[in-house]
Amino acid sequence: MGSETISLTSPAFQHEGTIPARYTCDGENINPPLSIGELPEGTKTLALICDDPDAPRGIYDHWVVWNIAPTQEIKENHMPGISGMNSSGKTGYTGPCPPDGEHRYFFYLFALDTDIDLPEVSGKGDLASAMIGHILGEGILMGKYSRP
């Protein structure tokens, strides 16, 4: 059984567009608003991962969150579920802050058929393992950012 594609957009920036500084280390460092399309039937919870594959030491995780109630919107500056550890060793959202050049930031949304039972100290790898066999649908939004 393959997973369905879910529309994931933001009123703050276009797919493959520039993420406004407000959502980065150069601004308020708050999460951008996200709009979610129709969810697959049977969706119990959502999970969200935001990472930067262009980071100098490998993929940098900016936001890892799970057990989000099914919704069509994640509001700006809002913690919608249980937040896991990001690459800065903290829970919650850490905005883009590339050390050099323009980086890409991928927001991955997963519709799941179950709750995820993980402690908040869990990271992206733990979440990815816990989601195996439970993904009903996926959406991707990518934004770019370079520091002024």
Side-chain angles (χ1 to χ4, degrees), residues 65-129:
V65 61
W66 61 89
N67 289 355
I68 303 167
T71 183
Q72 301 321 130
E73 174 186 36
I74 294 174
K75 293 183 165 97
E76 172 184 276
N77 196 25
H78 178 72
M79 181 47 58
I82 297 173
S83 184
M85 297 295 268
N86 58 39
S87 291
S88 65
K90 299 176 183 169
T91 59
Y93 175 82
T94 296
C97 198
D100 55 16
E102 183 177 75
H103 286 217
R104 297 167 300 153
Y105 298 87
F106 289 86
F107 292 81
Y108 298 98
L109 178 78
F110 302 93
L112 306 173
D113 66 1
T114 188
D115 288 322
I116 298 294
D117 184 20
L118 288 172
E120 286 188 26
V121 296
S122 303
K124 180 174 73 175
D126 300 312
L127 176 58
S129 293

Side-chain angles (χ1 to χ4, degrees), residues 1-119:
M1 171 174 94
S3 67
E4 295 181 30
T5 298
I6 302 168
S7 169
L8 182 61
T9 60
S10 177
F13 63 96
Q14 297 292 316
H15 179 64
E16 298 184 353
T18 300
I19 297 172
R22 169 183 179 93
Y23 307 109
T24 73
C25 68
D26 295 314
E28 295 178 47
N29 209 18
I30 59 175
N31 69 276
L34 299 172
S35 300
I36 300 165
E38 188 174 339
L39 296 170
E41 189 174 328
T43 298
K44 187 168 182 185
T45 63
L46 304 175
L48 183 68
I49 294 169
C50 174
D51 66 27
D52 170 6
D54 302 319
R57 293 191 187 107
I59 297 173
Y60 190 98
D61 303 326
H62 285 267
W63 202 17
V64 180
V65 61
W66 61 89
N67 289 355
I68 303 167
T71 183
Q72 301 321 130
E73 174 186 36
I74 294 174
K75 293 183 165 97
E76 172 184 276
N77 196 25
H78 178 72
M79 181 47 58
I82 297 173
S83 184
M85 297 295 268
N86 58 39
S87 291
S88 65
K90 299 176 183 169
T91 59
Y93 175 82
T94 296
C97 198
D100 55 16
E102 183 177 75
H103 286 217
R104 297 167 300 153
Y105 298 87
F106 289 86
F107 292 81
Y108 298 98
L109 178 78
F110 302 93
L112 306 173
D113 66 1
T114 188
D115 288 322
I116 298 294
D117 184 20
L118 288 172

